[in-house]
Structures are given as C-alpha cells and as structure tokens.
Amino acid sequence: DVVMTQSPLSLPVTLGQPASISCRSSQSLVHSDGNTYLNWFHQRPGQSPRRLIYKVSNRDSGVPDRFSGSGSATDFTLRISWVEAEDVGLYYCMQGTHWPQTFGQGTKVEIK
Amino acid sequence: EVQLVESGGGLVQPGGSLTLSCEASGFAVTSTYMIWVRQTPGRGLECLSIIYIDGNTDYADSVKGRFTISRDDSENTVFLQLNSLRAADTAIYYCARDLFLSPAYWGQGTLVTVSS
C-alpha cells in the first residue's frame, strides 16, 4: 500500500497567521490517466471528515479560498493563508491513485 | 442534497457477523463509486472496500475474504457485510460517495464494537 507521511503531526497556530502542512507519498501519485489524485480532508471532533481539496489543488464547493493545495508526484502541501478559529481540528492527506486509497496519519491544528 | 445515512452498527462478539447499511439520497448509488472507510484512534482512517459503477468491487487486504460490499439499486442503499469479526475491527464505519477517486461526501458513521 502507498504510505502517506504528514508533517508536522502537531501544529500550533496563531489566529490570522498562515499555516502549512506537508504530505509525502511512498510512490508517485500520477495516475495512468494523467491526473494526480491527492486530496485533503478536515475533521472536527465528533464529526465526519470533510473533503477540502481534490486532485492536488481543486477546492470543494463551499471551501474558503484561504485554503490552497499544491505539489506534484510525491510531495504536496496544504496552505491556510490565515487561520480562523473554525480551522482547528485534524487534517489528513489522502491518495486515490492506487487502491487501496490511503490516508496520512493526520495533523492536529490548534490555536496557540 | 446529497445525504448518506449509515446504520447497523453495534456490539458483536469475536467471530460474529454484522451488516452495515448506507442509505443514499440526492443521487443514485449506481451512478458513482461508493466506498466504506473506517476510523480508529490507533490506525486512523482506512479505506476498506469500493464498489464501482459496473458493480465490480475491491477490498483492502485487511478485510479481503471477510467483508463483502454490495448494493441494492431499488433501495438506493449500499451494504457492507462483516464476517469473522475481530477486536481489531472495532471502529467507526463510514460510507462515502467517491468522486475523483476520493470520498467526497460522508455519512455520519456507525460504531462497531467487537468484544466478548
């Protein structure tokens, strides 16, 4: 299975300041169809995960534009341009290129 | 509006069986890939099984031969049959609508506890 490795695992942030999370995959995530199926999710305590970003850099409907994704092949980044209180929780990267789809271990974002 | 509602979780003894259901609304389960994902504090999020538009299926090695995914088109529902359950299968089980090879819409989850 493809191993997804996130860093950092814990990210204390200041409200209004930027934040970024890194994700590396053990294999290239470029699919035979040419797309790269790397996704980002956010999960608040007691809630189901919510997808934020699909195919590296596409925001899902309703996701604020302060969230952005970038990267290629095996190295990816989620950036929050400025952190708001509602952004706390766990963030996961996830690859869909290879079955089984696999998640990173999660990054806990909390307010300093 | 897309909605997914899981049911069927509960307490089951090791070696027992359970069937989880995922009732969909706002779209047809035959029009998309559907996936089951579970979450535990120790192993995090784990994709277990997927059913494709053509009805073909795939499984993670950890559940292959024990879990079976299926769907009922008339009920617009996807199922996950869990057999030979182990303590390690204790988790919250989610169903999701897969778009662009990732779970785009999630249900609220159903808790499965395997214990004697």
mmCIF file of all heavy atoms in Angstrom, chain B residues 14-46:
data_model
loop_
_atom_site.group_PDB
_atom_site.id
_atom_site.type_symbol
_atom_site.label_atom_id
_atom_site.label_comp_id
_atom_site.label_asym_id
_atom_site.label_seq_id
_atom_site.Cartn_x
_atom_site.Cartn_y
_atom_site.Cartn_z
ATOM 1 N N PRO B 14 -16.474 -11.565 19.171
ATOM 2 C CA PRO B 14 -15.442 -12.017 18.216
ATOM 3 C C PRO B 14 -15.922 -13.237 17.448
ATOM 4 O O PRO B 14 -16.518 -14.159 18.027
ATOM 5 C CB PRO B 14 -14.258 -12.343 19.124
ATOM 6 C CG PRO B 14 -14.450 -11.477 20.316
ATOM 7 C CD PRO B 14 -15.924 -11.397 20.533
ATOM 8 N N GLY B 15 -15.672 -13.228 16.155
ATOM 9 C CA GLY B 15 -16.127 -14.298 15.279
ATOM 10 C C GLY B 15 -17.516 -14.088 14.721
ATOM 11 O O GLY B 15 -17.955 -14.817 13.816
ATOM 12 N N GLY B 16 -18.205 -13.071 15.215
ATOM 13 C CA GLY B 16 -19.571 -12.820 14.782
ATOM 14 C C GLY B 16 -19.649 -12.037 13.496
ATOM 15 O O GLY B 16 -18.642 -11.719 12.857
ATOM 16 N N SER B 17 -20.891 -11.728 13.109
ATOM 17 C CA SER B 17 -21.163 -11.037 11.848
ATOM 18 C C SER B 17 -22.089 -9.849 12.070
ATOM 19 O O SER B 17 -22.833 -9.803 13.062
ATOM 20 C CB SER B 17 -21.816 -12.003 10.846
ATOM 21 O OG SER B 17 -20.964 -13.070 10.538
ATOM 22 N N LEU B 18 -22.036 -8.937 11.119
ATOM 23 C CA LEU B 18 -22.857 -7.735 11.166
ATOM 24 C C LEU B 18 -23.025 -7.246 9.739
ATOM 25 O O LEU B 18 -22.115 -7.437 8.905
ATOM 26 C CB LEU B 18 -22.139 -6.672 11.989
ATOM 27 C CG LEU B 18 -22.888 -5.715 12.915
ATOM 28 C CD1 LEU B 18 -23.816 -6.462 13.866
ATOM 29 C CD2 LEU B 18 -21.893 -4.879 13.702
ATOM 30 N N THR B 19 -24.151 -6.628 9.462
ATOM 31 C CA THR B 19 -24.342 -5.997 8.157
ATOM 32 C C THR B 19 -24.607 -4.516 8.347
ATOM 33 O O THR B 19 -25.548 -4.138 9.061
ATOM 34 C CB THR B 19 -25.504 -6.635 7.381
ATOM 35 O OG1 THR B 19 -25.225 -8.012 7.151
ATOM 36 C CG2 THR B 19 -25.674 -5.941 6.027
ATOM 37 N N LEU B 20 -23.774 -3.709 7.743
ATOM 38 C CA LEU B 20 -23.945 -2.257 7.773
ATOM 39 C C LEU B 20 -24.682 -1.811 6.523
ATOM 40 O O LEU B 20 -24.456 -2.346 5.437
ATOM 41 C CB LEU B 20 -22.591 -1.564 7.842
ATOM 42 C CG LEU B 20 -21.646 -2.017 8.966
ATOM 43 C CD1 LEU B 20 -20.369 -1.193 8.932
ATOM 44 C CD2 LEU B 20 -22.326 -1.958 10.313
ATOM 45 N N SER B 21 -25.553 -0.823 6.685
ATOM 46 C CA SER B 21 -26.298 -0.259 5.561
ATOM 47 C C SER B 21 -25.969 1.207 5.416
ATOM 48 O O SER B 21 -25.689 1.894 6.401
ATOM 49 C CB SER B 21 -27.809 -0.421 5.782
ATOM 50 O OG SER B 21 -28.166 -1.768 5.934
ATOM 51 N N CYS B 22 -26.053 1.673 4.191
ATOM 52 C CA CYS B 22 -25.806 3.077 3.893
ATOM 53 C C CYS B 22 -26.866 3.523 2.889
ATOM 54 O O CYS B 22 -26.792 3.182 1.703
ATOM 55 C CB CYS B 22 -24.408 3.259 3.310
ATOM 56 S SG CYS B 22 -24.071 4.907 2.658
ATOM 57 N N GLU B 23 -27.854 4.241 3.397
ATOM 58 C CA GLU B 23 -28.940 4.701 2.542
ATOM 59 C C GLU B 23 -28.578 6.057 1.963
ATOM 60 O O GLU B 23 -28.258 6.995 2.703
ATOM 61 C CB GLU B 23 -30.253 4.787 3.316
ATOM 62 C CG GLU B 23 -31.451 5.144 2.446
ATOM 63 C CD GLU B 23 -32.767 5.087 3.201
ATOM 64 O OE1 GLU B 23 -32.780 4.700 4.380
ATOM 65 O OE2 GLU B 23 -33.799 5.446 2.592
ATOM 66 N N ALA B 24 -28.641 6.147 0.649
ATOM 67 C CA ALA B 24 -28.264 7.384 -0.040
ATOM 68 C C ALA B 24 -29.490 8.128 -0.541
ATOM 69 O O ALA B 24 -30.498 7.519 -0.901
ATOM 70 C CB ALA B 24 -27.343 7.062 -1.213
ATOM 71 N N SER B 25 -29.385 9.442 -0.558
ATOM 72 C CA SER B 25 -30.415 10.286 -1.167
ATOM 73 C C SER B 25 -29.739 11.438 -1.880
ATOM 74 O O SER B 25 -28.617 11.820 -1.541
ATOM 75 C CB SER B 25 -31.411 10.792 -0.122
ATOM 76 O OG SER B 25 -30.752 11.485 0.909
ATOM 77 N N GLY B 26 -30.403 11.955 -2.891
ATOM 78 C CA GLY B 26 -29.850 13.064 -3.662
ATOM 79 C C GLY B 26 -29.030 12.629 -4.860
ATOM 80 O O GLY B 26 -28.589 13.470 -5.645
ATOM 81 N N PHE B 27 -28.813 11.343 -4.986
ATOM 82 C CA PHE B 27 -28.088 10.800 -6.132
ATOM 83 C C PHE B 27 -28.342 9.286 -6.165
ATOM 84 O O PHE B 27 -28.823 8.707 -5.188
ATOM 85 C CB PHE B 27 -26.585 11.072 -6.039
ATOM 86 C CG PHE B 27 -25.882 10.287 -4.966
ATOM 87 C CD1 PHE B 27 -25.151 9.162 -5.279
ATOM 88 C CD2 PHE B 27 -25.970 10.663 -3.630
ATOM 89 C CE1 PHE B 27 -24.522 8.413 -4.290
ATOM 90 C CE2 PHE B 27 -25.354 9.935 -2.632
ATOM 91 C CZ PHE B 27 -24.624 8.806 -2.961
ATOM 92 N N ALA B 28 -28.013 8.665 -7.276
ATOM 93 C CA ALA B 28 -28.177 7.209 -7.408
ATOM 94 C C ALA B 28 -26.849 6.519 -7.129
ATOM 95 O O ALA B 28 -25.816 6.892 -7.693
ATOM 96 C CB ALA B 28 -28.651 6.861 -8.817
ATOM 97 N N VAL B 29 -26.872 5.503 -6.256
ATOM 98 C CA VAL B 29 -25.629 4.812 -5.911
ATOM 99 C C VAL B 29 -25.040 4.074 -7.124
ATOM 100 O O VAL B 29 -23.860 3.742 -7.136
ATOM 101 C CB VAL B 29 -25.827 3.820 -4.735
ATOM 102 C CG1 VAL B 29 -26.210 4.582 -3.477
ATOM 103 C CG2 VAL B 29 -26.843 2.738 -5.071
ATOM 104 N N THR B 30 -25.852 3.840 -8.126
ATOM 105 C CA THR B 30 -25.352 3.169 -9.327
ATOM 106 C C THR B 30 -24.614 4.128 -10.257
ATOM 107 O O THR B 30 -24.000 3.681 -11.226
ATOM 108 C CB THR B 30 -26.514 2.551 -10.115
ATOM 109 O OG1 THR B 30 -27.502 3.570 -10.359
ATOM 110 C CG2 THR B 30 -27.144 1.398 -9.345
ATOM 111 N N SER B 31 -24.671 5.422 -9.960
ATOM 112 C CA SER B 31 -24.085 6.427 -10.847
ATOM 113 C C SER B 31 -22.674 6.824 -10.442
ATOM 114 O O SER B 31 -22.054 7.686 -11.091
ATOM 115 C CB SER B 31 -24.958 7.688 -10.855
ATOM 116 O OG SER B 31 -24.906 8.344 -9.596
ATOM 117 N N THR B 32 -22.154 6.214 -9.388
ATOM 118 C CA THR B 32 -20.891 6.670 -8.816
ATOM 119 C C THR B 32 -20.202 5.521 -8.111
ATOM 120 O O THR B 32 -20.799 4.468 -7.875
ATOM 121 C CB THR B 32 -21.168 7.824 -7.826
ATOM 122 O OG1 THR B 32 -19.945 8.398 -7.392
ATOM 123 C CG2 THR B 32 -21.949 7.341 -6.628
ATOM 124 N N TYR B 33 -18.932 5.687 -7.779
ATOM 125 C CA TYR B 33 -18.265 4.718 -6.911
ATOM 126 C C TYR B 33 -18.746 4.987 -5.477
ATOM 127 O O TYR B 33 -18.951 6.135 -5.075
ATOM 128 C CB TYR B 33 -16.749 4.887 -6.933
ATOM 129 C CG TYR B 33 -16.056 4.737 -8.269
ATOM 130 C CD1 TYR B 33 -14.704 5.029 -8.390
ATOM 131 C CD2 TYR B 33 -16.719 4.317 -9.418
ATOM 132 C CE1 TYR B 33 -14.027 4.897 -9.590
ATOM 133 C CE2 TYR B 33 -16.060 4.185 -10.633
ATOM 134 C CZ TYR B 33 -14.713 4.479 -10.717
ATOM 135 O OH TYR B 33 -14.044 4.367 -11.914
ATOM 136 N N MET B 34 -18.893 3.921 -4.704
ATOM 137 C CA MET B 34 -19.222 4.046 -3.292
ATOM 138 C C MET B 34 -18.160 3.312 -2.480
ATOM 139 O O MET B 34 -17.722 2.220 -2.870
ATOM 140 C CB MET B 34 -20.610 3.465 -2.995
ATOM 141 C CG MET B 34 -21.759 4.239 -3.636
ATOM 142 S SD MET B 34 -21.972 5.897 -2.959
ATOM 143 C CE MET B 34 -22.445 5.550 -1.277
ATOM 144 N N ILE B 35 -17.791 3.885 -1.360
ATOM 145 C CA ILE B 35 -16.662 3.351 -0.605
ATOM 146 C C ILE B 35 -17.011 3.274 0.876
ATOM 147 O O ILE B 35 -17.809 4.070 1.385
ATOM 148 C CB ILE B 35 -15.417 4.244 -0.835
ATOM 149 C CG1 ILE B 35 -14.170 3.608 -0.289
ATOM 150 C CG2 ILE B 35 -15.619 5.635 -0.258
ATOM 151 C CD1 ILE B 35 -12.890 4.308 -0.746
ATOM 152 N N TRP B 36 -16.447 2.299 1.546
ATOM 153 C CA TRP B 36 -16.539 2.190 3.009
ATOM 154 C C TRP B 36 -15.160 2.479 3.606
ATOM 155 O O TRP B 36 -14.141 1.943 3.136
ATOM 156 C CB TRP B 36 -16.997 0.806 3.443
ATOM 157 C CG TRP B 36 -18.459 0.562 3.261
ATOM 158 C CD1 TRP B 36 -19.072 -0.031 2.186
ATOM 159 C CD2 TRP B 36 -19.511 0.891 4.172
ATOM 160 N NE1 TRP B 36 -20.440 -0.082 2.382
ATOM 161 C CE2 TRP B 36 -20.732 0.475 3.593
ATOM 162 C CE3 TRP B 36 -19.554 1.492 5.442
ATOM 163 C CZ2 TRP B 36 -21.965 0.641 4.228
ATOM 164 C CZ3 TRP B 36 -20.782 1.660 6.071
ATOM 165 C CH2 TRP B 36 -21.973 1.237 5.464
ATOM 166 N N VAL B 37 -15.158 3.334 4.625
ATOM 167 C CA VAL B 37 -13.944 3.756 5.315
ATOM 168 C C VAL B 37 -14.173 3.546 6.805
ATOM 169 O O VAL B 37 -15.281 3.782 7.301
ATOM 170 C CB VAL B 37 -13.648 5.255 5.051
ATOM 171 C CG1 VAL B 37 -12.374 5.697 5.772
ATOM 172 C CG2 VAL B 37 -13.545 5.533 3.554
ATOM 173 N N ARG B 38 -13.153 3.127 7.531
ATOM 174 C CA ARG B 38 -13.296 3.044 8.983
ATOM 175 C C ARG B 38 -12.222 3.876 9.656
ATOM 176 O O ARG B 38 -11.187 4.177 9.071
ATOM 177 C CB ARG B 38 -13.261 1.603 9.483
ATOM 178 C CG ARG B 38 -11.926 0.909 9.403
ATOM 179 C CD ARG B 38 -12.061 -0.548 9.863
ATOM 180 N NE ARG B 38 -10.810 -1.287 9.704
ATOM 181 C CZ ARG B 38 -10.712 -2.607 9.879
ATOM 182 N NH1 ARG B 38 -11.783 -3.329 10.218
ATOM 183 N NH2 ARG B 38 -9.546 -3.210 9.716
ATOM 184 N N GLN B 39 -12.507 4.230 10.906
ATOM 185 C CA GLN B 39 -11.595 5.067 11.671
ATOM 186 C C GLN B 39 -11.429 4.542 13.075
ATOM 187 O O GLN B 39 -12.422 4.266 13.765
ATOM 188 C CB GLN B 39 -12.102 6.508 11.717
ATOM 189 C CG GLN B 39 -11.147 7.493 12.383
ATOM 190 C CD GLN B 39 -11.572 8.924 12.213
ATOM 191 O OE1 GLN B 39 -12.752 9.240 12.102
ATOM 192 N NE2 GLN B 39 -10.599 9.835 12.170
ATOM 193 N N THR B 40 -10.186 4.413 13.488
ATOM 194 C CA THR B 40 -9.856 4.025 14.852
ATOM 195 C C THR B 40 -8.805 4.984 15.381
ATOM 196 O O THR B 40 -8.034 5.557 14.599
ATOM 197 C CB THR B 40 -9.298 2.595 14.924
ATOM 198 O OG1 THR B 40 -8.062 2.559 14.177
ATOM 199 C CG2 THR B 40 -10.267 1.591 14.353
ATOM 200 N N PRO B 41 -8.729 5.136 16.693
ATOM 201 C CA PRO B 41 -7.687 6.005 17.256
ATOM 202 C C PRO B 41 -6.281 5.499 16.915
ATOM 203 O O PRO B 41 -5.383 6.288 16.683
ATOM 204 C CB PRO B 41 -7.952 5.945 18.765
ATOM 205 C CG PRO B 41 -9.387 5.570 18.879
ATOM 206 C CD PRO B 41 -9.650 4.647 17.727
ATOM 207 N N GLY B 42 -6.120 4.193 16.838
ATOM 208 C CA GLY B 42 -4.786 3.635 16.625
ATOM 209 C C GLY B 42 -4.334 3.592 15.179
ATOM 210 O O GLY B 42 -3.175 3.874 14.876
ATOM 211 N N ARG B 43 -5.252 3.251 14.270
ATOM 212 C CA ARG B 43 -4.873 3.069 12.863
ATOM 213 C C ARG B 43 -5.349 4.194 11.961
ATOM 214 O O ARG B 43 -5.079 4.191 10.753
ATOM 215 C CB ARG B 43 -5.394 1.735 12.343
ATOM 216 C CG ARG B 43 -4.766 0.516 13.015
ATOM 217 C CD ARG B 43 -5.093 -0.761 12.249
ATOM 218 N NE ARG B 43 -6.515 -0.887 11.971
ATOM 219 C CZ ARG B 43 -7.397 -1.368 12.839
ATOM 220 N NH1 ARG B 43 -7.006 -1.736 14.051
ATOM 221 N NH2 ARG B 43 -8.676 -1.460 12.515
ATOM 222 N N GLY B 44 -6.087 5.156 12.543
ATOM 223 C CA GLY B 44 -6.534 6.289 11.748
ATOM 224 C C GLY B 44 -7.622 5.910 10.765
ATOM 225 O O GLY B 44 -8.461 5.050 11.056
ATOM 226 N N LEU B 45 -7.599 6.538 9.589
ATOM 227 C CA LEU B 45 -8.601 6.310 8.545
ATOM 228 C C LEU B 45 -8.107 5.243 7.584
ATOM 229 O O LEU B 45 -6.979 5.298 7.109
ATOM 230 C CB LEU B 45 -8.886 7.612 7.803
ATOM 231 C CG LEU B 45 -9.642 8.672 8.597
ATOM 232 C CD1 LEU B 45 -9.410 10.055 8.020
ATOM 233 C CD2 LEU B 45 -11.128 8.347 8.619
ATOM 234 N N GLU B 46 -8.989 4.300 7.275
ATOM 235 C CA GLU B 46 -8.611 3.143 6.457
ATOM 236 C C GLU B 46 -9.712 2.863 5.445
ATOM 237 O O GLU B 46 -10.861 2.626 5.831
ATOM 238 C CB GLU B 46 -8.415 1.939 7.379
ATOM 239 C CG GLU B 46 -7.917 0.679 6.734
ATOM 240 C CD GLU B 46 -7.799 -0.465 7.747
ATOM 241 O OE1 GLU B 46 -8.235 -0.307 8.907
ATOM 242 O OE2 GLU B 46 -7.292 -1.533 7.363
#
